């Protein structure tokens, strides 16, 4: 029995997917093609990205997954007549997916692929879905040496639809049933995603499993038993506030996250969608806030920008070592919690002050949602974790350290005032001063 268990790559232990090599214990870090390339992808794109991840020092900081998103296969309901497998697009991927995986592995990186829990023809982009073909597809991905699966939620057949429970809705379709006793772990959505989980677990390969389920069917309540991360909201787009064709800007997503701060931990976490750092017209301060807060939430850190000709300022944001260290802390699995609202707490002015503990101290993220630079106040007595959790930082005076610059700001007794630019986020670490 023990030998049998040791042979397994990932074990479903109580309510989490645990693997001996640690895959999925911490938030995934990597790069994904969707936000900047959409369907305009090819083997060349991924190999070039892989080279740049090494060359720019991103790999050394922990970014390791290079993830293919939608549109990698032959479009429509096309599967191989004999094997029933999805067919990689021969123009975009002339060497097949396995060849791309080998290129990644040769650089010390890993490869991710994309699928959709839908029937027949329909990923979100209209490529073959995997519902009913879970074993076939998981076996193919495993044989192709894929290391990560993002599994999407478009075009669900009516008999598999649930009441969505939370935005976005079912795209105009009638809602499905609510599960008995409102136990969402028995919902249709949970069943669809568990089928792929079981197919992946049956492979002789460790594949990180990322549920792209947009918060549907209250996934926060059961995602941990199914995958390593679960998308909590609609697609992100690179703007500070507002919504566009069902996609949400940064502040609405953060406001949503404020209500789910206590869900994430080791082996499973909320996914607030891939990073838009470097995209659209986000200012440098907005890019900094985006990165710092997604890291603070312990969301996966999946870069979504073009790496060729990336500006030094944007690269520096993605390489902010101490911010990454908070996200990847080996001792504290929980994300930061909101603890102070200077505004009302809405889609324009979500929580301003977030705090979380790491093995290095207590960290506070101070977000300025106002349109002007302003003073923000660190009041030590109100910071969660500072008083209760860590004996080493229980008593003041406190040393306040800037996680962006890596420099100490100063020693303070009761409070400190920090000047924060419009839409910027100050990120500090607090420890006892002596
Ligand atoms: C959905 C997902 C996105 C992306 C697209 C691809 O919208 O939420 O992240 O994968 O599909 O079509």
């Amino acid at each position: 029995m023990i030998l049998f268990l040791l042979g397994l790559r990932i074990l479903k232990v109580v309510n989490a997917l645990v693997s001996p090599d640690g895959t999925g214990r911490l938030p995934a870090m990597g790069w994904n093609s969707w936000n900047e390339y959409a369907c305009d992808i090819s083997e060349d794109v991924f190999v070039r990205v892989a080279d740049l991840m090494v060359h720019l020092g991103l790999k050394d900081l922990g970014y390791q997954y290079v993830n293919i998103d939608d549109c990698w296969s032959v479009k429509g309901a096309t599967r191989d007549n004999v094997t029933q497998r999805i067919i990689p697009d021969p123009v975009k991927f002339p060497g097949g997916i396995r060849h791309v995986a080998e290129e990644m592995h040769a650089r010390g990186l890993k490869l991710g692929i994309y699928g959709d829990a839908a029937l027949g023809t329909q990923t979100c982009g209209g490529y073959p879905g995997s519902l009913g073909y879970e074993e076939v597809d998981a076996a193919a991905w495993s044989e192709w040496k894929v290391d990560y699966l993002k599994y999407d939620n478009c075009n669900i057949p009516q008999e598999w639809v649930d009441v969505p429970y939370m935005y976005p809705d079912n795209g105009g379709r009638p809602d499905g049933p609510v599960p008995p006793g409102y136990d969402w772990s028995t919902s249709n959505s949970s069943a669809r995603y568990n089928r792929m989980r079981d197919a992946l677990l049956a492979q002789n390969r460790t594949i990180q499993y990322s549920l792209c389920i947009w918060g549907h069917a209250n996934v926060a309540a059961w995602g941990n038993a199914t995958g390593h991360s679960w998308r909590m909201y609609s697609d992100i787009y690179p703007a500070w506030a507002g919504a566009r064709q069902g996609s949400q800007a940064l502040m609405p997503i953060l406001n949503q996250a404020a209500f789910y701060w206590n869900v994430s931990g080791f082996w499973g976490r909320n996914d607030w969608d891939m990073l838009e750092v470097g995209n659209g017209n986000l200012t440098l301060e907005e890019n900094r806030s985006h990165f710092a807060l997604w890291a603070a939430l312990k969301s996966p850190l999946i870069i979504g920008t073009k790496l060729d000709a990336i500006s030094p300022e944007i690269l520096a944001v993605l390489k902010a070592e101490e911010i990454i260290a908070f996200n990847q802390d080996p001792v504290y699995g929980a994300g930061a919690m909101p603890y102070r609202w200077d505004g009302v707490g809405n889609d324009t002015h979500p929580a301003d002050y977030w705090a979380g503990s790491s093995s290095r101290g207590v960290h506070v993220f101070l977000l300025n949602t106002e349109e002007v630079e302003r003073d923000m106040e660190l009041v030590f007595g109100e910071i969660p974790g500072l008083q209760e959790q860590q004996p080493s930082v229980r008593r003041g005076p406190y040393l306040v350290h800037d996680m962006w610059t890596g420099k100490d700001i100063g020693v303070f007794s009761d409070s400190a005032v920090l000047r924060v630019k419009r839409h910027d986020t100050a990120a500090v670490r607090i420890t006892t001063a002596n």
Side-chain angles (χ1 to χ4, degrees), residues 34 69-70 114 124-125 150 152 154 212 214 231 235 273-274:
W34 182 254
D69 208 276
D70 206 354
Y114 167 96
C124 297
K150 169 176 169 178
D152 215 339
C154 274
C212 183
W214 318 318
R231 274 277 302 280
D235 289 4
D273 208 354
M274 305 172 295

Side-chain angles (χ1 to χ4, degrees), residues 40-339:
D40 194 12
I41 52 172
S42 67
E43 175 186 314
D44 287 350
V45 166
F46 296 98
V47 172
R48 206 167 63 239
V49 160
D51 281 339
L52 284 164
M53 280 173 67
V54 174
H55 175 72
L56 297 172
L58 292 164
K59 179 193 157 204
D60 286 344
L61 285 166
Y63 293 97
Q64 61 170 339
Y65 291 98
V66 179
N67 293 348
I68 301 174
D69 208 276
D70 206 354
C71 316
W72 58 268
S73 58
V74 173
K75 205 164 184 175
T78 322
R79 284 180 173 266
D80 185 283
N81 281 337
V82 179
T83 64
Q84 295 299 305
R85 288 182 173 182
I86 299 175
I87 307 164
D89 185 313
V91 177
K92 292 173 180 165
F93 297 98
I97 301 300
R98 179 167 170 153
H99 172 66
V100 187
E102 282 164 354
E103 292 284 344
M104 300 304 121
H105 298 160
R107 290 163 177 78
L109 297 166
K110 296 184 168 176
L111 184 73
I113 199 103
Y114 167 96
D116 189 301
L119 273 185
T121 61
Q122 304 290 349
T123 66
C124 297
Y127 295 80
S130 298
L131 194 61
Y133 290 92
E134 289 86 355
E135 285 81 12
V136 174
D137 291 347
W141 293 326
S142 171
E143 198 185 298
W144 297 345
K145 302 190 179 177
V146 162
D147 306 292
Y148 182 109
L149 171 66
K150 169 176 169 178
Y151 203 43
D152 215 339
N153 198 36
C154 274
N155 304 308
I156 306 313
Q158 187 59 44
E159 66 272 24
W160 284 93
V161 166
D162 293 298
V163 168
Y165 181 81
M166 134 173 194
Y167 189 88
D169 63 17
N170 284 322
R173 289 151 183 258
D175 287 346
V178 169
Y182 287 81
D183 175 1
W184 293 91
S185 71
T186 65
S187 62
N188 288 327
S189 302
S190 174
R192 275 187 298 117
Y193 280 84
N194 284 341
R195 285 168 67 139
M196 182 54 84
R197 174 201 64 198
D198 294 341
L200 292 173
L201 290 180
Q203 306 308 314
N204 188 24
R205 185 168 186 83
T206 303
I207 299 180
Q208 179 147 181
Y209 187 27
S210 149
L211 321 183
C212 183
I213 186 173
W214 318 318
H216 279 199
N218 197 18
V219 63
W222 52 268
N224 207 40
T226 304
H228 297 110
S229 63
W230 42 92
R231 274 277 302 280
M232 284 296 288
Y233 208 27
S234 33
D235 289 4
I236 193 169
Y237 79 103
W240 184 249
R244 184 184 77 186
Q245 295 162 1
S247 296
Q248 300 284 339
L250 303 180
M251 290 302 99
I253 297 178
L254 189 66
N255 189 42
Q256 193 73 14
F259 298 94
Y260 291 90
W261 62 268
N262 61 346
V263 173
S264 295
F266 290 129
W267 304 110
R269 67 226 20 114
N270 296 330
D271 172 358
W272 298 101
D273 208 354
M274 305 172 295
L275 300 171
E276 292 281 14
V277 172
N279 296 345
N281 294 321
L282 295 175
T283 66
L284 181 58
E285 290 75 25
E286 290 169 345
N287 280 301
R288 280 160 49 99
S289 289
H290 179 18
F291 190 70
L293 289 159
W294 263 238
L297 295 167
K298 304 248 170 167
S299 192
L301 297 178
I302 308 290
I303 299 170
T305 197
K306 289 196 167 140
L307 294 182
D308 341 63
I310 188 170
S311 74
E313 294 78 22
I314 294 301
L315 185 61
V317 171
L318 294 170
K319 291 178 75 172
E321 224 166 314
E322 295 190 23
I323 309 266
I324 293 172
F326 179 85
N327 181 265
Q328 298 286 305
D329 193 78
V331 179
Y332 289 79
M337 66 181 286
Y339 72 89

